[in-house]
Amino acid sequence: MTELGKRNGAASHYQRGKVFAVAPMIDWTDTRCRFLHRQLSQHALLYTEMIVADAIIHGKRDKLLEYHPQEHPVALQLGGSDPAKLAEAVRIAADYGYDEFNINVGCPSDRVQSGTFGACLMREPETVAASVSAMKAVANVPVTVKCRIGVDDQEPETVLPDFIARMVQAGADAVWIHARKAWLQGLSPKENREVPPLDYDLAYRMKQENPDLFIGINGGITDLDQAEEHLKHMDGVMLGRAAYHNTSILADVDHRIYGEAPAERDWASLRDAMMAYAEDYIANGGRLNHVTRHMVGLFQGLPGARRFRQILSSDATKPGAGTEVIAAAFGAVDFDGAAKDIAV
């Protein structure tokens, strides 16, 4: 694995060894989601939703780019295919202190394709390479790429090695490979996560052939056992929906992936942190359910988890709902028989 140098005094999170990341997910990994995830893991690399470069250049920048300082390390994923615009978006976003800039070359949705970015850029590796070079010229943190192994009738065995070679030449600091081909026509985004077969071996081979490039793997990984197995072959592992729908697994990341001493889970502190965060969010004009919608994936399999979800799903949407809803939801869960000991 490459050791990324310090840039303008800022050390990269990629210098720490193996990396565990939560994937960028449109409509899901907003700042409220990432704050929750950070309470569970201090070291996981968190990604924003994809934000289109034009939106940053012309839109409400603070609304798009502001985040809680506890979220670090946090990477901004950008959508676009114009190197100059992507560079301008990076220049603007640099003032917000992101730890990485990533370009989306993996999303197959129609709305992304209509903007000529996402997975369709697998057909334009020269455009991606030019974008990486332009972004690096103005960035003082790592510039990375998240890609597929190919699209449509492309042959991944040929396309992916050439794509990665171009990224290396352009100076990309890391490549995250979603180990499925994407079908741009005829399959929905959901089907594109399930139908094309995974090819982990091809991703492994890319790492073997590029020992000095950080290469991480994504796609179909559902738990930390699988993550640990992939990390025997790859520099990083990225979970998406599995981390969102079963959020509590993030509580084991620091121990199992980063080697920290095992710690007793302090669900009361998590409750208190989320209540304080939600109280501040509401005081600034937000609604409780904007925070709690990301919490329903907590505590899968624990006694009371269903009631926990019911309380958050029904009560948090009511007019005037406050943090007492979070307290009541946590109070419904039996944390190894200790739920009654948590004062609500």
Side-chain angles (χ1 to χ4, degrees):
M1 179 181 64
T2 183
E3 290 190 6
L4 302 183
K6 291 186 177 180
R7 295 199 174 91
N8 295 346
S12 165
H13 42 276
Y14 289 116
Q15 289 179 298
R16 302 189 58 183
K18 300 294 185 179
V19 173
F20 178 96
V22 178
M25 292 175 280
I26 293 175
D27 297 329
W28 286 4
T29 52
D30 60 24
T31 183
R32 295 166 292 282
C33 173
R34 299 192 305 269
F35 180 85
L36 168 64
H37 290 178
R38 182 58 69 220
Q39 306 315 301
L40 297 167
S41 169
Q42 293 302 298
H43 302 305
L45 173 60
L46 305 180
Y47 279 80
T48 68
E49 306 170 84
M50 182 195 69
I51 303 178
V52 178
D54 275 330
I56 293 173
I57 296 169
H58 303 294
K60 297 180 179 179
R61 296 170 183 175
D62 286 351
K63 182 178 180 180
L64 291 169
L65 297 174
E66 284 186 340
Y67 57 91
H68 195 282
Q70 285 188 27
E71 292 178 36
H72 293 286
V74 58
L76 172 62
Q77 187 182 65
L78 294 170
S81 57
D82 183 321
K85 289 183 178 180
L86 285 163
E88 178 63 9
V90 166
R91 187 192 64 76
I92 293 167
D95 290 339
Y96 291 80
Y98 284 96
D99 300 293
E100 172 185 333
F101 296 109
N102 175 272
I103 181 170
N104 182 336
V105 193
C107 182
S109 73
D110 290 341
R111 63 174 169 168
V112 169
Q113 290 184 56
S114 66
T116 319
F117 49 90
C120 63
L121 286 175
M122 290 299 297
R123 294 190 178 280
E124 301 181 31
E126 66 284 349
T127 299
V128 181
S131 298
V132 168
S133 295
M135 292 163 67
K136 281 182 63 66
V138 296
N140 64 350
V141 294
V143 172
T144 68
V145 177
K146 187 172 186 291
C147 68
R148 292 281 184 143
I149 61 173
V151 296
D152 295 338
D153 57 354
Q154 287 183 326
E155 176 49 61
E157 296 276 352
T158 301
V159 169
L160 189 59
D162 176 71
F163 181 88
I164 290 179
R166 290 172 184 261
M167 298 308 104
V168 170
Q169 187 173 15
D173 294 300
V175 175
W176 289 92
I177 301 172
H178 186 145
R180 293 185 197 271
K181 181 186 283 190
W183 288 96
L184 302 180
Q185 302 295 329
L187 292 182
S188 68
K190 181 178 185 297
E191 290 170 325
N192 263 299
R193 296 191 298 270
E194 300 169 351
V195 175
L198 288 157
D199 193 345
Y200 293 139
D201 287 340
L202 177 58
Y204 294 167
R205 192 157 68 251
M206 294 303 96
K207 177 56 200 173
Q208 293 169 358
E209 294 175 2
N210 296 273
D212 294 327
L213 174 67
F214 181 103
I215 302 182
I217 194 166
N218 171 233
I221 305 167
T222 60
D223 57 42
L224 295 187
D225 289 340
Q226 295 175 16
E228 288 179 320
E229 184 62 32
H230 285 299
L231 287 173
K232 295 177 182 178
H233 308 277
M234 307 294 286
D235 298 317
V237 63
M238 179 181 282
L239 269 67
R241 281 155 181 79
Y244 189 87
H245 290 307
N246 187 16
T247 318
S248 299
I249 67 173
L250 296 177
D252 289 327
V253 165
D254 291 351
H255 167 54
R256 294 185 59 176
I257 306 299
Y258 291 94
E260 291 202 348
E264 186 174 345
R265 296 182 179 183
D266 187 353
W267 298 125
S269 292
L270 174 63
R271 176 204 61 194
D272 293 345
M274 295 312 299
M275 288 177 66
Y277 180 85
E279 184 174 13
D280 183 68
Y281 182 72
I282 293 168
N284 283 282
R287 297 183 59 181
L288 179 66
N289 66 303
H290 295 168
V291 176
T292 58
R293 74 183 186 94
H294 300 299
M295 298 171 61
V296 295
L298 286 166
F299 312 134
Q300 297 286 349
L302 287 183
R306 182 177 181 182
R307 181 59 183 150
F308 173 86
R309 294 191 295 271
Q310 288 173 339
I311 292 171
L312 292 184
S313 298
S314 61
D315 294 354
T317 60
K318 294 178 180 178
T323 58
E324 71 281 353
V325 174
I326 296 176
F330 271 75
V333 183
D334 183 356
F335 299 105
D336 295 328
K340 304 299 186 293
D341 297 330
I342 298 178
V344 296

